[in-house]
Amino acid sequence: MATATIAKNKWTGTIKRLKVQPQDLYLNDTGISCMKLSGLVKANLRVAAHYLWQMDELGKEYTVPFDREEFEWLLKAPVGKNKLNEAIKIKNQCAKMAGW
């Protein structure tokens, strides 16, 4: 059980950091709350971190498909389509490693 606790804590800070904030949202013309690109990047990276957390929980071996520098770059303004596409790519790589 100690291993699960360690694994859980490994990604907790990252997952918290990737929480979508009010500044990542906007209201569209019909009053529906939508995510800006910054919010979409965070949401995709958060899902990726959840996949990595799950693999830790299951004791699976994996390679993190990003480094700290790339992670920081993805979250740094301005956020455009290239960063969103990279975040989606990372999420899909993590899903594939997790077996989804």
Side-chain angles (χ1 to χ4, degrees), residues 20-40 81 84:
V20 176
Q21 301 295 319
Q23 64 266 25
D24 297 317
L25 305 170
Y26 69 94
L27 290 178
N28 70 8
D29 295 339
T30 60
I32 296 173
S33 182
C34 299
M35 276 195 248
K36 296 178 182 177
L37 288 175
S38 61
L40 292 171
K81 285 278 191 184
L84 176 58

Side-chain angles (χ1 to χ4, degrees), residues 7-68:
K8 192 174 198 176
N9 292 334
K10 180 178 178 180
W11 292 104
T12 300
T14 303
I15 291 168
K16 283 182 184 177
R17 181 174 180 199
L18 295 170
K19 184 177 179 185
V20 176
Q21 301 295 319
Q23 64 266 25
D24 297 317
L25 305 170
Y26 69 94
L27 290 178
N28 70 8
D29 295 339
T30 60
I32 296 173
S33 182
C34 299
M35 276 195 248
K36 296 178 182 177
L37 288 175
S38 61
L40 292 171
V41 167
K42 284 182 182 179
N44 279 283
L45 291 176
R46 187 176 179 140
V47 171
H50 274 286
Y51 284 131
L52 297 173
W53 173 78
Q54 287 176 341
M55 286 187 285
D56 280 344
E57 286 283 304
L58 297 171
K60 288 186 173 182
E61 300 259 337
Y62 62 90
T63 303
V64 179
F66 56 87
D67 59 21
R68 184 173 184 85

